[in-house]
């Protein structure tokens, strides 16, 4: 089980959750943030600090946001644009920095927010 970042984060990327995560498992894409399911320790520290309520425990993910569970995993298991291999589990987001790219699903979304 893991936490998942859903649609409300797209084009928002507040980063409060990144600062709160004790294991540095929240990675920054171009338009969204992604939680590495292999590095997340299910502590839940990220969830209450998200100002747009985009973070859910996997079992609590609302039906319409269910697609984000698989998409979140794809960020780490599929080769992202401009990369030679999948990101995998590099052992911390700070070591890599902002990646500036997203999954195909997030990239295809229309602009979110106001």
């Amino acid at each position: 089980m893991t936490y998942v970042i859903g649609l409300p984060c797209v084009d928002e990327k507040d980063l409060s959750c990144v600062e709160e995560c004790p294991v540095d498992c929240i990675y920054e894409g171009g338009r969204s943030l992604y939680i590495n399911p292999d590095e997340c320790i299910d502590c839940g520290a990220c969830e209450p600090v998200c100002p747009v309520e985009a973070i859910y425990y996997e079992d609590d993910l609302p039906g319409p946001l269910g697609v984000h569970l698989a998409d979140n995993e794809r960020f780490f298991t599929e080769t992202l644009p401009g990369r030679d291999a999948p990101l995998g589990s590099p052992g911390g987001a700070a070591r890599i920095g902002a990646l500036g790219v997203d999954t195909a699903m997030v990239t295809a979304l229309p602009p979110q927010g106001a």
Side-chain angles (χ1 to χ4, degrees):
M1 295 295 163
T2 189
Y3 280 82
V4 177
I5 297 177
L7 182 63
C9 184
V10 176
D11 296 327
E12 178 67 34
K13 292 192 338 182
D14 174 77
L15 303 181
S16 295
C17 58
V18 173
E19 296 168 13
E20 200 66 32
C21 180
V23 295
D24 193 30
C25 72
I26 303 174
Y27 291 73
E28 186 176 353
R31 297 177 61 197
S32 190
L33 300 172
Y34 302 84
I35 297 175
N36 190 311
D38 293 331
E39 296 174 358
C40 179
I41 59 170
D42 300 335
C43 70
C46 58
E47 186 179 22
V49 299
C50 180
V52 294
E53 299 179 359
I55 303 173
Y56 297 89
Y57 189 66
E58 178 179 341
D59 288 344
D60 299 330
L61 197 60
L65 298 181
V67 295
H68 289 275
L69 177 61
D71 191 63
N72 187 82
E73 187 174 334
R74 282 193 293 271
F75 187 79
F76 302 98
T77 60
E78 294 183 359
T79 303
L80 298 169
R83 298 191 59 87
D84 296 329
L87 186 58
S89 294
R95 294 177 46 202
I96 294 183
L99 292 165
V101 296
D102 292 291
T103 60
M105 186 185 96
V106 169
T107 299
L109 289 170
Q112 304 294 304

